[in-house]
């Protein structure tokens, strides 16, 4: 098993089981040294809480990056998520360009929208600023809404395979080397789980092959699942696991985490992914054996 040094750049939502409070334990459990650059500090995430605090850390970034540069610190992978401002994305691009080891992958989760809508606080300027970051990534991990915003293709709830293919090809055509599109509704096309008539899947496209990993769909939207998925994907991918296998692994972990949460109506703000960390370590160990 490798011992990669990963830098992840996303916010600290102090309460809410998303962003860094998910990425850090997940990547550590997967055997990676996990360095963090907080993009902002919030008292909670913005999905369902009101009155949260928000401290943008954009102005701290250049000095942090300059210090790392001076110390000769380099990372074996950079993984970005929810960022603090459109202006911050310029600094993040510099870090991605200058602080990676040769050949180190850059994984971008746009983390800006879901269900056809931008998250609170983001606007068109933020989407524009995100484009060069996401299109320069080795792997991009959008949901359908983010894929639409990045490509300018109208968001639809009802779609077919051709629509999904066009989204993936357009993202790839703009420069993203591998596209991992999450939350794709598969209707009844995939018989792998006959007990679930309604399936969701992850679509993986590398410019040549488009593959789909179908998984169980739980009829409840949960906060932070995109971050949980992206963290497990990154932890697996940096171990040399293929994008398809890493996406399948991340989907299984995410679904298990949701399944361990849905019976608790008070736990509406996140998923109890911590309960699945032993499964994660054990399964990763077996994959790499
Ligand atoms: O899970 C994505 C996310 C991350 N960080 C913050 C958020 C959200 C989604 O709403 O509000 C602060």
């Amino acid at each position: 098993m490798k011992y990669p040094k990963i830098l992840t750049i996303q916010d600290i939502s102090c309460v809410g089981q998303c962003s860094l409070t998910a990425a850090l334990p997940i990547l550590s459990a997967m055997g990676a040294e996990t360095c963090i650059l907080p993009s902002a500090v919030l008292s909670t995430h913005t999905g369902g809480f009101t009155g949260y605090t928000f401290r943008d850390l954009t102005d701290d970034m250049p000095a942090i990056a300059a210090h790392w540069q001076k110390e000769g610190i380099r990372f074996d992978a950079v993984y970005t998520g929810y960022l603090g401002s459109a202006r911050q994305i310029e600094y993040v691009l510099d870090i991605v360009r200058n602080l990676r080891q040769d050949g180190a992958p850059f994984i971008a989760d746009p983390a800006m929208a879901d269900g056809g809508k931008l998250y609170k606080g983001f606007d068109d300027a933020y989407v524009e600023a995100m484009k060069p970051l996401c299109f320069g990534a080795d792997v991009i991990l959008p949901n359908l809404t983010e894929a639409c915003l990045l490509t300018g293709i109208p968001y639809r709830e009802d779609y077919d395979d051709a629509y999904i293919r066009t989204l993936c090809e357009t993202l790839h055509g703009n420069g993203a080397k591998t596209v991992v599109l999450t939350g794709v509704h598969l209707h009844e096309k995939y018989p792998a789980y006959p007990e679930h008539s309604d399936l969701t899947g992850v679509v993986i496209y590398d410019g040549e092959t488009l593959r789909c990993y179908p998984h169980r769909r739980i009829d409840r939207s949960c906060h932070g699942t995109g971050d949980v998925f992206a963290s497990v994907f990154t932890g697996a991918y940096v171990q040399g696991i293929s994008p398809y296998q890493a996406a399948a692994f991340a989907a299984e972990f995410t679904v298990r985490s949701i399944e361990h949460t849905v019976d608790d109506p008070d736990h509406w703000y996140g998923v109890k992914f911590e309960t699945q960390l032993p499964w994660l370590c054990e399964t990763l160990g077996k994959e790499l054996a």
Side-chain angles (χ1 to χ4, degrees):
M1 192 158 163
K2 297 180 193 166
Y3 181 64
K5 187 194 204 68
I6 301 181
L7 170 65
T8 181
I9 310 176
Q10 42 190 322
D11 71 283
I12 298 179
S13 285
C14 300
V15 172
Q17 286 171 310
C18 66
S19 327
L20 284 180
T21 66
L24 192 46
I26 288 172
L27 290 169
S28 299
M30 296 178 84
E33 177 187 349
T34 309
C35 306
I36 61 165
L37 179 49
S39 56
V41 179
L42 295 85
S43 51
T44 64
H45 63 61
T46 66
F49 294 100
T50 50
Y52 48 82
T53 68
F54 184 100
R55 183 170 300 277
D56 175 12
L57 296 181
T58 299
D59 291 332
D60 291 32
M61 278 195 176
I64 292 173
H67 182 216
W68 289 345
Q69 189 72 268
K70 186 165 148 275
E71 294 290 330
I73 293 167
R74 293 286 181 275
F75 302 100
D76 300 316
V78 175
Y79 149 42
T80 60
Y82 183 106
L83 302 177
S85 66
R87 188 165 63 86
Q88 181 176 103
I89 297 172
E90 277 299 316
Y91 296 136
V92 173
L93 268 166
D94 280 346
I95 290 168
V96 168
R97 282 190 203 113
N98 300 325
L99 293 178
R100 276 183 300 162
Q101 298 282 12
D102 287 346
F106 166 43
I107 297 141
D109 177 357
M112 60 180 172
D114 203 3
K117 285 198 300 238
L118 277 169
Y119 294 146
K120 277 178 216 149
F122 292 149
D123 56 13
D124 291 349
Y126 187 84
V127 175
E128 279 310 306
M130 260 292 170
K131 289 181 184 174
L133 188 71
C134 289
F135 294 153
D138 294 289
V139 183
I140 178 180
L141 304 165
N143 58 35
L144 270 181
T145 309
E146 292 157 347
C148 287
L149 287 166
L150 290 169
T151 57
I153 294 171
Y155 174 76
R156 284 172 34 193
E157 305 238 312
D158 203 20
Y159 46 79
D160 55 12
D161 291 353
Y163 177 80
I164 296 300
R165 179 173 278 278
T166 304
L167 278 175
C168 291
E169 286 178 353
T170 310
L171 288 166
H172 183 265
N174 274 297
K177 292 195 189 71
T178 296
V179 177
V180 176
L181 185 61
T182 58
V184 179
H185 206 168
L186 300 171
H187 311 286
E188 291 176 29
K189 271 178 249 157
Y190 290 84
Y193 299 100
E195 72 277 23
H196 298 272
S197 61
D198 225 9
L199 278 184
T200 300
V202 187
V203 171
I204 300 100
Y205 180 65
D206 60 6
E208 282 180 21
T209 317
L210 186 140
R211 293 180 73 189
C212 175
Y213 179 77
H215 59 78
R216 305 179 293 292
R217 172 182 155 88
I218 291 111
D219 208 12
R220 179 170 137 181
S221 92
C222 294
H223 295 287
T225 48
D227 304 343
V228 167
F229 177 90
S231 301
V232 177
F233 177 91
T234 300
Y237 184 70
V238 297
Q239 289 294 340
I241 294 177
S242 73
Y244 179 83
Q245 288 299 343
F249 190 28
E252 283 306 315
F253 181 81
T254 308
V255 171
R256 289 174 71 102
S257 301
I258 299 170
E259 284 171 342
H260 278 78
T261 309
V262 284
D263 60 353
D264 181 353
D266 292 337
H267 207 97
W268 58 268
Y269 52 85
V271 289
K272 300 179 183 177
F273 69 85
E274 301 86 350
T275 62
Q276 301 308 306
L277 291 176
W279 178 88
L280 184 67
C281 297
E282 201 184 310
T283 313
L284 181 65
K286 282 190 209 147
E287 291 257 345
L288 297 174

